[in-house]
């Protein structure tokens, strides 16, 4: 199990802001997906888990789960987009499977699957 490579990550705050402000977004009870075209030949991903979801250990766990789900789905996701997944409060009680289904549903609704 390899971690998500750096080139597939959004790291700068400004990149997150751009996706949030200019991009389109879809929401589910567990997550919000915001996305925006980028000028690259691959998609980049960012994950946001606010302090309202709990202490660092719990937030990091949610972030790791989202990252892993996206890493496994990566080949199915259209290239050329910046995607930001934002965890909502109920996701702190959700199982890995529920988060996975939620991510898949949002990607389908946003028409980001190959």
């Amino acid at each position: 199990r390899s971690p998500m490579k750096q080139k597939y990550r959004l790291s700068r705050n400004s990149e997150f802001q751009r996706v949030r402000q200019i991009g389109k977004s879809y929401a589910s009870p567990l997550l919000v997906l915001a996305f925006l075209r980028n000028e690259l030949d691959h998609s980049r991903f960012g994950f946001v888990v606010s302090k309202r979801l709990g202490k660092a250990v719990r937030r990091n766990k949610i972030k790791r789960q989202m990252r892993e789900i996206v890493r496994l789905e990566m080949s199915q996701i259209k290239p050329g987009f910046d995607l930001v997944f934002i965890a909502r409060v109920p996701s702190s009680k959700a199982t890995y499977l529920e988060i996975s289904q939620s991510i898949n549903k949002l990607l389908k609704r946003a028409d980001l699957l190959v």
Side-chain angles (χ1 to χ4, degrees):
R1 133 183 141 64
S2 62
M4 190 181 280
K5 292 196 179 63
Q6 196 57 49
K7 75 171 199 174
Y8 299 120
R9 292 255 188 103
L10 289 172
S11 49
R12 283 200 218 89
N13 187 13
S14 59
E15 297 171 328
F16 281 87
Q17 298 294 347
R18 216 185 81 236
V19 176
R20 282 300 285 135
Q21 285 161 1
I22 311 170
K24 291 180 67 172
S25 63
Y26 290 93
S28 76
L30 298 181
L31 303 166
V32 177
L33 163 62
F35 64 99
L36 185 61
R37 269 210 172 286
N38 64 30
E39 301 303 311
L40 304 167
D41 60 356
H42 57 274
S43 282
R44 298 182 303 177
F45 304 90
F47 303 91
V48 179
V49 183
S50 99
K51 289 194 168 157
R52 290 185 317 191
L53 275 83
K55 296 215 171 21
V57 173
R58 169 171 278 173
R59 296 199 308 268
N60 290 336
K61 181 181 178 188
I62 296 167
K63 219 179 264 192
R64 281 198 309 273
Q65 289 179 328
M66 294 196 300
R67 208 177 285 134
E68 179 63 7
I69 292 161
V70 169
R71 190 183 69 80
L72 297 172
E73 289 291 318
M74 221 136 78
S75 59
Q76 303 299 313
I77 297 172
K78 288 181 183 171
F81 287 92
D82 286 347
L83 292 80
V84 175
F85 289 94
I86 302 159
R88 301 173 89 175
V89 174
S91 64
S92 67
K93 303 228 183 335
T95 63
Y96 179 87
L97 184 66
E98 289 166 333
I99 294 172
S100 178
Q101 289 167 338
S102 190
I103 286 177
N104 273 312
K105 234 181 247 144
L106 287 169
L107 288 168
K108 268 196 198 80
R109 268 178 46 205
D111 193 31
L112 291 173
L113 293 176
V114 177

